[in-house]
Amino acid sequence: MTATSLSTTTRDEHGARQNEHASSCPGPDTGSAAGIQLADISLTYRQGSQAVHVLDRIGLSLAPDEFVCLLGPSGCGKSTLLSIIAGYVQPSGGSVRIDGKRHTKPTPQVGVVFQHANLFPWLSVAGNVEFGLRMAGIGRKERRRIASFYIGLVGLEASAARLPHQLSGGMKQRAALARTLATEPRIVLMDEPFSALDALTRESMQLHVRRIWQQTRRCFFLITHDVDEALLLGRRIIVMHPNPGTIVQDIRNPLFQDTDAPSFSILRASKDFADLRQHLVSMIAGSGSNSR
Ligand SMILES: Nc1ncnc2c1ncn2[C@@H]1O[C@H](COP(=O)(O)OP(=O)(O)OP(=O)(O)O)[C@@H](O)[C@H]1O
């Protein structure tokens, strides 16, 4: 495999496909496609008399069990796109649909994990994981059952009673992930969730997240500045360019291994990995901005 032999989707090709999809979903809530569909998402902010065009006609279709990594230089609009999918920000144009239904505001269908865990400091790990379930009116016994399943999934059984200040950074992020997963969202959005962690913890988190995805098969959408992380985790890798934010590359990761025990170190040492890494780094650098 060489970087140039990759099957890619350019923004134009992708945009054209999204336009077809948009025209096949004429009114609100009438579509039936499974997964998450973004059609022609644009966003312009007003700054005084200036218009800042942040996103331009982003089209994306995400399968219900997709693991997508989004790369791009700082300021290209990655977090803004995530905020639109989360329903926190309304786009100036275009639409987000989940299983064909128009999605315009935050709902339990979309879970978000941020760079910092933002756990409730007065609640234990179990209390944090149960919180969303309590808000959803789920009874105590069922809450406990669901929380204990997800706490086990992230490997925090022994720390379920601990308060956030008694956890390491990686444990906090795992608790935040369990809290997000407990409400069983259709898509889990992650905005650089490991960037505040040291290298070893980060690698261990990557393995955790990979295993959790394999066991839950939800749609995971992960923003990262780390090309290696995207290559190790993403079944699909998307690259954005800035000014305005557009998708310039959308590839199925040929190195993706859907196995129980992926060996990241062996993968990292391969020539294919180095070639594809170089290709992605050049793609990002091609935007004229810096990236790690
Ligand atoms: N509320 C806002 N008002 C005006 N401009 C904004 C607003 N929010 C974001 N922007 C601008 O939108 C652009 C994209 O920002 P965004 O945070 O989405 O980029 P990013 O790719 O996630 O960057 P980073 O990798 O550094 O987190 C930036 O130029 C930013 O200044």
Side-chain angles (χ1 to χ4, degrees):
M1 191 271 319
T2 63
T4 48
S5 70
L6 289 167
S7 150
T8 66
T9 304
T10 65
R11 190 205 73 177
D12 287 340
E13 287 163 3
H14 208 86
R17 202 163 65 220
Q18 290 308 310
N19 288 341
E20 278 166 26
H21 172 77
S23 62
S24 69
C25 297
D29 298 355
T30 55
S32 60
I36 292 92
Q37 296 86 36
L38 276 66
D40 274 334
I41 296 287
S42 294
L43 182 70
T44 303
Y45 281 117
R46 292 258 148 227
Q47 277 185 342
S49 58
Q50 296 265 2
V52 184
H53 194 29
V54 177
L55 297 175
D56 185 46
R57 290 175 301 134
I58 302 273
L60 263 185
S61 260
L62 307 175
D65 63 347
E66 195 75 87
F67 198 137
V68 193
C69 289
L70 179 61
L71 289 165
S74 186
C76 71
K78 301 181 296 297
S79 297
T80 304
L81 186 62
L82 181 142
S83 297
I84 289 173
I85 302 174
Y88 301 154
V89 171
Q90 290 306 305
S92 318
S95 65
V96 178
R97 288 172 193 269
I98 299 180
D99 296 340
K101 290 200 185 351
R102 193 79 181 251
H103 170 74
T104 54
K105 58 180 193 297
T107 69
Q109 291 196 88
V110 182
V112 186
V113 179
F114 296 101
Q115 187 179 353
H116 298 286
N118 297 326
L119 298 170
F120 299 119
W122 62 90
L123 292 177
S124 66
V125 168
N128 268 281
V129 177
E130 281 185 40
F131 185 82
L133 302 169
R134 201 165 64 201
M135 292 296 104
I138 294 172
R140 191 173 164 166
K141 199 170 161 198
E142 182 64 357
R143 269 194 337 251
R144 292 251 158 104
R145 190 188 65 75
I146 298 171
S148 126
F149 173 80
Y150 285 104
I151 289 168
L153 197 63
V154 300
L156 286 179
E157 302 94 326
S159 305
R162 289 203 204 172
L163 290 167
H165 77 269
Q166 298 170 312
L167 305 175
S168 70
M171 290 162 91
K172 281 182 194 155
Q173 280 304 67
R174 279 189 275 152
L177 187 55
R179 182 176 63 179
T180 298
L181 289 167
T183 54
E184 314 222 313
R186 302 281 287 115
I187 179 167
V188 178
L189 306 171
M190 291 177 272
D191 197 349
E192 300 194 54
F194 317 136
S195 58
L197 305 176
D198 65 85
L200 277 180
T201 310
R202 187 178 183 126
E203 176 143 349
S204 136
M205 278 302 289
Q206 289 164 349
L207 286 164
H208 269 294
V209 164
R210 159 70 79 86
R211 191 172 46 77
I212 291 162
W213 175 79
Q214 284 173 327
Q215 290 180 18
T216 58
R217 297 287 171 179
R218 307 277 171 75
C219 181
F220 278 22
F221 182 94
L222 183 140
I223 293 178
T224 178
H225 276 277
D226 183 337
V227 175
D228 287 21
E229 186 166 281
L231 281 168
L232 294 171
L233 291 178
R235 192 161 71 172
R236 184 168 162 194
I237 300 174
I238 293 172
V239 180
M240 285 177 68
H241 275 187
N243 305 316
T246 46
I247 291 175
V248 292
Q249 185 110 83
D250 184 348
I251 64 168
R252 210 139 269 290
N253 179 5
L255 303 178
F256 182 79
Q257 294 178 351
D258 198 354
T259 55
D260 284 344
S263 172
F264 283 177
S265 51
I266 292 174
L267 199 56
R268 257 203 191 101
S270 72
K271 178 170 184 321
D272 284 348
F273 189 94
D275 287 349
L276 189 45
R277 183 181 197 286
Q278 184 51 47
H279 171 74
L280 290 169
V281 168
S282 321
M283 279 302 299
I284 297 164
S287 67
S289 303
N290 295 325
S291 187
R292 266 177 258 154

